[in-house]
Amino acid sequence: MITSMASRRAFLGAGGSLVIGFALGGRALAQGQAPAPAGPSAPAGGPAVHKSVALDEVDGFLAIGADGKVTLFSGKVDLGTGIRTALTQMAAEELDVPVERITFVQGDTALTPDQGPTYGSLSIQNGGMQIRQAAATARRQLVTAAAQRLGVPAAELVVEDGTVRPRSGGQGLGYGELIGDRNFSLKVDKDIVTKDPANFRVVGKSVQRLDIPDKTTGRFTYMHDFRVDGMLHGRVVRPPGLQAQLQQVDESSVRNIPGLVKVVREGNFVGVVAQTEWGAIRAAQDLKLTWSNWEGLPEQSRLWEHVRATPVAKDDVTSNVGNAGEALGQGAKRLNATYDFAIHTHGSLGPSCAVAEIRDGLLTCWTASQMTHNLRKQLAAMMRMPEEKVRCIYLEGSGCYGRNGHEDATGDAALLSRAVEGRPVRVQWMRQDEHGWDPKGPPTLIDLRGAIDANGNITAWQSEFFIPQGAAGNVALVPAELAGLPHEESMAPGNIIQNSALPYSVPNVHTVCHRLENTLFKPSWIRTPGRMQNTYANECFLDELAAEAGADPMEFRLRHLKDERGLELMRRLAVLSRWESRPSPRRDAGASNGGGTATGRGVSYVKYELNRTYVGAVAEVEVDRGSGDIRVKRFFVVHDCGQVINPDGVRNQIEGNVLHTISRTLKEELTWDRSMVTSLDWGSYPVITFPEVPEIVMELLDRPGERPWGAGEPSAAVIPSAISNAVFDATGVRLRSVPFTPPRVKAALQQAS
């Protein structure tokens, strides 16, 4: 049913400009500036600004104007991954309209449906499928309406470029004529038959990313560029220890700073607000505070002792087949190994940033949060406001691939805005804030035991993973914790047990995740959480068993793999990488232990979460025996994520996975003293540089008839193990502790010589 009720499109037109990295309606966007979107002061008679947008309504996802142009509303946001382009392609395909005729609105809690946080490589797999179904439902309704208007059976109509016309020719009706500026008032048909892939014109094609032109020409408005008229600037002063208590604030120490508006204290939360950003920076640096001493962190050198000594809250048994304990004692050969994966920070190149204002009792926040709808709930709780009085509007930040400090910066801005009677306040974190106070990828410790028979087949496998407890929910806001305001009490993330079970066929397997009561730093999602660490240990230990059996690592995997798609993928990988069939390590791996360069190759495989995207990778490395430096020269990747929406976008994601994870594998490691994080800059927390970028060769297995799966994270899962296995192939030395820094590699080589 098509009605004439006021639509969000009309609201946008009446209310001014909505900025989501670009402007809709209203005045043009000046470079480096953006007007405040229509928010608390929405025009009378328009839709309720803060009313929830229905997830089961076509109108929740799209609107069509009188000009036939489409506005697409997505609760999933583009974090720099290109999903704006891919989701637009999916809608364009089902609606049969050109991509350039679609405007994309994302992550605005007043305008977009709550499709869940943008994480887990679920934006296309879940969010995109919801959009596809909504678009297909809308198209069917438009064709039905056109059939009634034209007096032609719907089966005899076709849609071309947003116009419905008789298949035999003749005058047609455009979408704008059929519904322009009106609502569908129609439920999404979740069982609708979407377009036959054989008829795809847009999906499966490499479409230029829609955000790149403005980004390359400087017209794009990042969160950090955003400005509101009358905006003040805030900075927050953090404790010198994670749980230090504030004892005294000397406001006279900053009294002479020009433009200082206010020093804000609420519990252990301390911030300053000034007319200028430099004034806020100076005030935060000069403000004299007295804190209690807190030294509750364990020594870094005893991290793994601390992990083992942490009480276990519960055990999650992720696989239990046969009798692994009994079979271990009956194997012809038995191996034990322990692997560990360091604590990582997100290390976003641009520190977190947000703007907040409170006007007429309504809180509006502009944020780079990957979960604006969840953040809305958190802010409402922290501010003790009804949820419908809070609006979060997404603006793209510097990228994060996980829950970094964006949400916390938004909370900072909200508290500071309240302290200055609701005036808009911009909070820009500094580098030490980002590295010191963003949540962390938690430490992971894995014990493995395995046995092989006389024929070199795995007969038993046992593994124990030591990881934090938690449920997939929100990460508590730092400002709420410091200020003693309502916040989440449970740790997050929770679903880091995935890929602890094996994708291979083994007769006796037992895998268990010991969920620890606490962890050193607040844990959070960081690219491929759990799946990377768990796959790293499993794939490296599988390589150890292959070496013990004297088997080629590729053949050893194929021997134990029963999944036909997995087998096809790995065989394609062997061809792509020109795999040389032989056992590892190389025959000359032990030669010249005193110096020289050793080369090797290593393979790894994952079926992501054992139920979706398949990835196989081969790493080629050089190891400088004298310095311990590892150089990744080339990566081969074969990737099967089902139906590929935008091949170029998937390749972008694979490249990003490889580069990001090489950095995490070879360089990144959080450091701390007894009180606080000490790796607060790029010198103490180094990341990959341009000269260290390897050649990346990839093959995509496109399956148009299958549903699309995620590509943003799965290929990261295989990178650490492929590198470790390649180093073993080159040197005969097994690396079991990430990161593989030169001192660690050199020490391992010397110990083996």
Side-chain angles (χ1 to χ4, degrees), residues 56-77:
D56 62 346
E57 296 278 350
V58 169
D59 296 312
F61 293 97
L62 60 94
I64 298 177
D67 57 2
K69 293 183 179 179
V70 178
T71 303
L72 185 63
F73 300 94
S74 170
K76 299 290 187 180
V77 300

Side-chain angles (χ1 to χ4, degrees), residues 128-159:
M129 292 299 286
Q130 291 169 333
I131 286 173
R132 173 177 280 175
Q133 291 166 348
T137 304
R139 182 184 187 277
R140 183 178 63 190
Q141 184 67 16
L142 290 164
V143 170
T144 299
Q148 294 172 349
R149 294 262 300 267
L150 295 172
V152 177
E156 296 180 13
L157 297 175
V158 295
V159 182

Side-chain angles (χ1 to χ4, degrees), residues 136-328:
T137 304
R139 182 184 187 277
R140 183 178 63 190
Q141 184 67 16
L142 290 164
V143 170
T144 299
Q148 294 172 349
R149 294 262 300 267
L150 295 172
V152 177
E156 296 180 13
L157 297 175
V158 295
V159 182
E160 295 176 353
D161 290 344
T163 297
V164 187
R165 58 170 51 92
R167 192 183 304 275
S168 58
Q171 189 68 29
L173 293 170
Y175 283 171
E177 298 174 81
L178 291 167
I179 195 176
D181 290 335
R182 289 176 291 153
N183 286 352
F184 284 92
S185 299
L186 182 68
K187 295 290 184 183
V188 174
D189 183 353
K190 296 181 180 179
D191 298 318
I192 193 168
V193 177
T194 56
K195 184 182 286 189
D196 185 339
N199 298 323
F200 281 172
R201 297 179 180 179
V202 181
V203 165
K205 307 295 192 299
S206 289
V207 172
Q208 183 186 54
R209 276 180 52 165
L210 302 175
D211 55 326
I212 296 301
D214 280 356
K215 286 179 176 177
T216 55
T217 56
R219 293 193 300 266
F220 193 85
T221 299
Y222 285 98
M223 180 65 247
H224 302 69
D225 304 322
F226 183 74
R227 300 291 186 272
V228 177
D229 291 340
M231 185 180 73
L232 302 174
H233 295 268
R235 284 293 191 278
V236 176
V237 185
R238 305 296 186 194
L242 290 179
Q243 297 182 34
Q245 301 296 304
L246 182 60
Q247 296 176 334
Q248 187 175 356
V249 179
D250 180 6
E251 294 193 28
S252 66
S253 60
V254 293
R255 188 171 297 153
N256 295 326
I257 292 180
L260 179 67
V261 175
K262 191 170 186 177
V263 175
V264 180
R265 176 184 180 179
E266 190 162 354
N268 290 316
F269 176 87
V270 181
V272 295
V273 181
Q275 295 285 351
T276 67
E277 185 168 18
W278 179 236
I281 293 171
R282 282 192 57 197
Q285 291 173 340
D286 295 350
L287 183 63
K288 291 184 179 179
L289 304 170
T290 303
W291 298 89
S292 67
N293 186 46
W294 184 83
E295 295 183 342
L297 292 173
E299 294 179 8
Q300 184 165 359
S301 61
R302 303 187 65 181
L303 169 61
W304 303 115
E305 295 174 46
H306 173 83
V307 169
R308 287 194 186 279
T310 302
V312 175
K314 67 170 184 172
D315 283 342
D316 286 328
V317 176
T318 53
S319 64
N320 188 16
V321 179
N323 190 327
E326 181 179 307
L328 279 171

Side-chain angles (χ1 to χ4, degrees), residues 81-82 85-86 89 202-209 639 641-655 698-703 711:
T81 60
T85 305
Q89 285 179 258
V202 181
V203 165
K205 307 295 192 299
S206 289
V207 172
Q208 183 186 54
R209 276 180 52 165
H639 194 278
C641 59
Q643 182 185 102
V644 175
I645 306 300
N646 186 330
D648 189 52
V650 174
R651 293 188 185 98
N652 292 163
Q653 290 308 289
I654 294 171
E655 290 170 346
M698 66 187 80
E699 180 180 351
L700 306 183
L701 303 185
D702 185 14
R703 301 183 186 275

